[in-house]
Amino acid sequence: MISIVALLLWGVAALLGTAMLAIAISRRDSATQLVYGLILGITAVMFLAVSSHLVSDPAGVSVVTLPLGLPWIGAHFRLDALSAFFLVVVNLGGAFASLYGLGYGRHESAPHRVLPFFPAFLAGMNLVVLADDAFTFLLSWEFMSLASWALVMAHHREPNNTRAGYIYLVMASFGTLALLLAFGLLAGPAGTYTFDAMRAAEPTLFVAAAVLALMLLGAGSKAGLVPLHVWLPLAHPAAPSHVSALMSGVMTKVAIYGFIRVIFDLLGEPAWWSGVVVLFLGGLTAVLGILHALMEKDLKRLLAYSTIENIGVIFASLGLALAFKANAMPSAAALALTAALFHVLNHSFFKSLLFFGAGAVLTATGERNMEKLGGLIHRMPLTSFVFLVGCVSISALPPFNGFVSEWLAFQAILQSPDLPQWGLKVMVPAVGGLLALSAALAAACFVKAFGITFLGRPRSAAMEQVREVDHYSLAAMFALAALCLLAGILPGFVIDGISPVTLSLIGSRMPVQMAQPWLSIVPIAESRSSYNGLLVLVFITISASLAAVVIHRFASHALRRGPAWGCGFPDITPAAQYTAVSFAQPIRRVFGTFAFRAREKVEMPPPGATGPARLTVEMHDVIWETFYQPIAGAVGYATEKLNRLQFLTIRRYLTLVFLYLVTLLLVLALWP
């Protein structure tokens, strides 16, 4: 009987075969339907296979070794509880993106630049999660990065897309280098590249600290951890919308998988200070990500910056899990890790849904700038409904799924008084405050995103002519909206499904949730806290229905209608509405000096002049200007100077080679 890993590898081979087929037929009219249909079928089969494995044998481990890769070790692949969970995320996200692509792909201007790399991207992510040795992992990681870079560059003729692809490629190469060094330290002098050998080794304190730093650089750069996030708000808007959904909802989770695999599995027992580092970076990432999202008027860039905020929430929960694990608090560690993994799944749902919604808006209107949208709820009612579900979910409002995972994270934070180190006693509540702030700002951000885009009056005449998108796109969005609701009202199923992962990494798990009455969830004990999403849904439905009945029955006779206030203008004009920039102005004035070095300049016309007053807002990307701009300037200066080398004569080239050889010989002679 074929093993589950072998079946999944055949699925990866099928995806690569689909990529080869797409190269041959991508310019045909039928290519879009055929390629995305094949990908949908393959990823659905892989998802069902992994799900059945999680249900039937959650603690089982399956391995396969192929005679590929390095000659003396081969290519190792492994399926355990951790990889199975992330394979569910990868293939479920891939299936929905493929379903969405069946409709969205009809409007793709360059399908021959997208179709071959889309299945290759999915194959690379699957291989990363299945890899069981350093060489296979790094090779798959780089393959995933290059395939996603090609998708980012699909529309390379559009303004700024080439710059986005260049920065993404540089950051991806930097991250791979950091991962290479991390695995080199884990392998040690013996060169034990298999993960089993790394698990058996006992790294020194210095090696453990260096590996943690390198994994934060390598996996953190791919996930979007501050200050390594600079590629993300450039690359996500540049890619096609279903690719953006995969990059944001799935690829960043593959990076989190890499971090968990190394730090929680291969590195052994953590030190308590490692939790402090990860906690701090997670809290900082959450707040800065959502502040940048609030300032945006480009809908896809807003969603990209929001991804950074959610990555911060996940890393903060992972930092808590490290701190609790280091202090022999397995129940609290299992709770924190469950919160992180639950948010991984939730974010893949609602962020994919939101990027699909943004893609639907872009397809229907040709616009990503929210300042030119508005009033779409009347023309695109179905898209507006599912986009609202995504906004409520990502804002962590009950009874949807975002609330449950963030509530679990706060329940883990409440366990921090039992930690013995004063550094953690101070850091954990501080990060809890940052997460609470980011949750409040996220709600404001998505009130803005939905309100400016879908409500109000159309801000241009073109917005009055738009139509609803195709049935494939709507089916993908409604399915994800349903999953957001189901995971919110029945979270016990998800928590119990995650429990094999926490058992394998922590040695403990949360209490069995399906044994609780009324489908409640109990993180520690019922006497301390509990939550019931189903009862919350019932309460909201009944109370809202009663309120609507009472208002329409007893208050309608008192309703008076009158003209809306038009800000002093006799005719109602869309210009009198809130814009994306004006909505964020109060928050910009509170946080702008700290986060953006924002400056406002008002130009008032002189008395008697009829010209308008003008408000100019100057904002800066502090992290880019502080860290990356000087490096880019230095590289540009160096390349300009070194460019002269290509114009040397043959005599000067020979002289340079001679001097290089002499220098190399001197180094070897002086080497101790």
Side-chain angles (χ1 to χ4, degrees), residues 306 329 338 561:
S306 167
M329 299 171 61
T338 300
R561 297 183 181 274

Side-chain angles (χ1 to χ4, degrees), residues 104-150:
Y104 180 85
R106 298 173 182 173
H107 310 283
E108 177 58 55
S109 59
H112 59 284
R113 296 184 181 276
V114 177
L115 293 178
F117 299 105
F118 189 83
F121 182 34
L122 283 167
M125 289 191 288
N126 275 282
L127 285 174
V128 170
V129 179
L130 285 170
D132 197 33
D133 65 76
F135 181 81
T136 305
F137 184 98
L138 290 171
L139 187 66
S140 304
W141 183 279
E142 194 67 5
F143 182 78
M144 172 187 74
S145 299
L146 290 173
S148 56
W149 170 79

